[in-house]
Amino acid sequence: MKLAVVGGGSTYTPELVDGFARLRDALPVTELVLVDPAAERLELVGGLARRIFARQGHPGRITTTADLDAGVAGADAVLLQLRVGGQAARLQDETWPLECGCVGQETTGAGGLAKALRTVPVVLDIAERVRRAAPGAWIIDFTNPVGIVARALLQAGHKAVGLCNVAIGFQRKFAALLGAEPASVHLDHVGLNHLTWEFGVRLGGPEGEDLLPRLLAEHGEAIAADLRLPRAVLDRLGVVPSYYLRYFYAHDAVVRELGAKPSRAAEVAAMERELLSLYADPALDEKPALLAKRGGAFYSEAAVELAAALLGGGGPAVQVVNTRNGVTLPFLPEDAVIEVQAAVDGSGPVPLAVPRPDPLYAGLLAHVTAYEDLALDAALRGGRERVARALLAHPLVGQFDLAEALTDRLLAHNKEHLPWA
């Protein structure tokens, strides 16, 4: 089995490689190709990846290349984890929206739109090359904004699934609180990528007893603190929102907080420099503890589980993925991409029935889906007018003068990545 990782020079990659090594019975990889144009990073990451495989006795071969077509040729699955513009572009995404009093964040709001505009054309080009070099390959997208990117891939007819680590993170946290095995915890996880809620936490599967009320009663303070939201928010909702709902439920407080401290992009850039220095040590043969602070917790387990379900030929596995809505959430378009539990096998994901969100949640989901329609249109066709329409539609913007100011800043900071700008 051949897997290719596009963006293989990422400092995330050792986390992924460690998962492939530990879970090789579930996913017997014979060849892993790390593809990245950044030669120096790729050499460091590739060296550590080989040492991780060797330490854990994995018989698979790891190769590195800057040649995308050669790297993906004949692959069974291609994982996308790229960042167009690197941390420098992320720093801009987190900075210029604050000048207008808006959240500066790389996956939502104006910064998230900028990332989508840079990313969608590049991902679609990669996917077309995958289609030529490995016609049967599945594309597993971890590249943000996952929902918009996955929708672009699916609308272009690619065999693609979007993946995020938010759900598996909740599963692990709730399992620990309940003293249960993670695999026994089923989440009623509903929404869009980075706009989800846990409506139920069940032991033993979708029909199990809902233990969410117990979790909120016994551990509500800890859960709220982990989300960096007031306990009153959880009490009002009666469900657990993802961390990313903080940008909606506490927008102004978050803007003040972001304006008073170094950006996350600056923190990550410093962390990456330190990680790459560690990776250069020929004695290092396991992922360093510092990597846990980089983000992407449990990414490797989620990726292995999804790839194994898509490629293993066994019965369907149940996993939270980003996939086509169909009729799952009837108040959204059928071609919207939603993030829900799905039965996944070699033919792809099929969403399970989920609780229908009441208007408090459905309204926001419909609003953000409409924004994503416009964002994808802007990413595919370009033009200042399309960018401004997308920003005006976003619930974190929504004012004409504000959308205009943000549009000017977005285009000014992204000219090198947007040929039409």
Side-chain angles (χ1 to χ4, degrees):
M1 180 184 296
K2 177 179 177 179
L3 300 186
V5 180
V6 179
S10 168
T11 53
Y12 273 132
T13 300
E15 164 72 25
L16 186 62
V17 170
D18 178 72
F20 289 153
R22 289 185 292 103
L23 304 171
R24 56 183 175 272
D25 290 341
L27 191 68
V29 177
T30 55
E31 182 180 4
L32 178 63
V33 184
L34 308 181
V35 183
D36 204 297
E40 185 176 352
R41 290 172 65 107
L42 189 59
E43 180 180 359
L44 295 176
V45 173
L48 175 56
R50 294 186 190 96
R51 295 193 297 272
I52 290 173
F53 262 31
R55 175 190 175 98
Q56 300 197 32
H58 194 294
R61 181 167 66 105
I62 296 179
T63 59
T64 60
T65 182
D67 187 332
L68 174 68
D69 299 306
V72 303
D76 296 287
V78 177
L79 285 74
L80 306 182
Q81 57 173 33
L82 57 143
R83 181 184 294 279
V84 179
Q87 293 298 331
R90 176 179 181 171
L91 178 61
Q92 292 180 351
D93 293 344
E94 294 180 355
T95 303
W96 53 263
L98 292 174
E99 297 171 2
C100 298
C102 291
V103 162
Q105 212 278 330
E106 64 162 343
T107 65
T108 193
L113 176 60
K115 192 173 195 331
L117 297 177
R118 294 193 303 268
T119 304
V120 166
V122 174
V123 166
L124 288 178
D125 176 67
I126 291 169
E128 288 299 330
R129 293 164 71 175
V130 170
R131 180 145 51 191
R132 292 194 296 268
W138 279 99
I139 295 175
I140 298 173
D141 178 65
F142 196 68
T143 297
N144 281 317
V146 167
I148 294 174
V149 172
R151 191 169 185 181
L153 288 166
L154 291 171
Q155 288 186 356
H158 296 288
K159 291 175 59 177
V161 185
L163 182 64
C164 181
N165 68 325
V166 166
I168 193 172
F170 273 129
Q171 182 196 47
R172 299 304 175 90
K173 290 172 185 175
F174 294 153
L177 293 173
L178 293 168
E181 288 296 320
S184 71
V185 175
H186 177 92
L187 304 177
D188 291 341
H189 179 99
V190 183
L192 310 176
N193 180 241
H194 289 185
L195 196 78
T196 53
W197 297 265
E198 309 307 327
F199 290 120
V201 178
R202 305 176 187 277
L203 284 182
E207 305 304 320
E209 178 188 1
D210 182 12
L211 300 179
L212 181 57
R214 172 183 151 190
L215 283 167
L216 289 174
E218 297 179 0
H219 305 285
E221 290 290 345
I223 294 170
D226 193 44
L227 298 172
R228 299 174 68 192
L229 283 169
R231 170 68 186 270
V233 174
L234 273 64
D235 292 339
R236 172 65 55 82
L237 299 177
V239 302
V240 177
S242 82
Y243 169 83
Y244 291 91
L245 265 299
R246 184 169 180 260
Y247 300 115
F248 295 81
Y249 293 155
H251 176 274
D252 292 352
V254 172
V255 168
R256 291 192 295 270
E257 173 191 306
L258 293 175
K261 68 176 187 178
S263 71
R264 174 63 176 165
E267 293 175 358
V268 170
M271 199 179 305
E272 286 197 335
R273 290 191 291 271
E274 187 174 351
L275 283 168
L276 290 170
S277 177
L278 293 172
Y279 295 173
D281 180 358
L284 183 67
D285 58 3
E286 59 185 345
K287 62 179 183 180
L290 178 62
L291 187 55
K293 298 181 180 180
R294 172 67 178 84
F298 309 117
Y299 164 37
S300 60
E301 285 89 341
V304 168
E305 182 180 343
L306 179 54
L310 293 170
L311 304 175
V318 174
Q319 184 174 6
V320 173
V321 297
N322 285 262
T323 191
R324 190 175 186 272
N325 176 43
V327 297
T328 309
L329 297 178
F331 55 90
L332 298 182
E334 291 190 5
D335 67 345
V337 165
I338 59 174
E339 186 172 292
V340 294
Q341 295 277 8
V344 186
D345 61 16
S347 61
V350 177
L352 303 181
V354 298
R356 182 184 175 112
D358 74 28
L360 178 61
Y361 314 106
L364 185 54
L365 289 173
H367 197 161
V368 175
T369 297
Y371 151 75
E372 289 188 348
D373 288 344
L374 295 168
L376 182 54
D377 184 47
L380 293 174
R381 298 200 287 162
R384 186 189 187 283
E385 176 67 15
R386 294 187 181 92
V387 173
R389 282 167 55 85
L391 285 169
L392 186 58
H394 200 294
L396 296 183
V397 181
Q399 300 177 65
F400 180 82
D401 289 345
L402 185 55
E404 291 293 301
L406 288 167
T407 298
D408 289 340
R409 285 167 170 79
L410 186 156
L411 297 179
H413 285 281
N414 286 275
K415 284 184 178 179
E416 65 179 298
H417 301 294
L418 306 176
W420 49 265

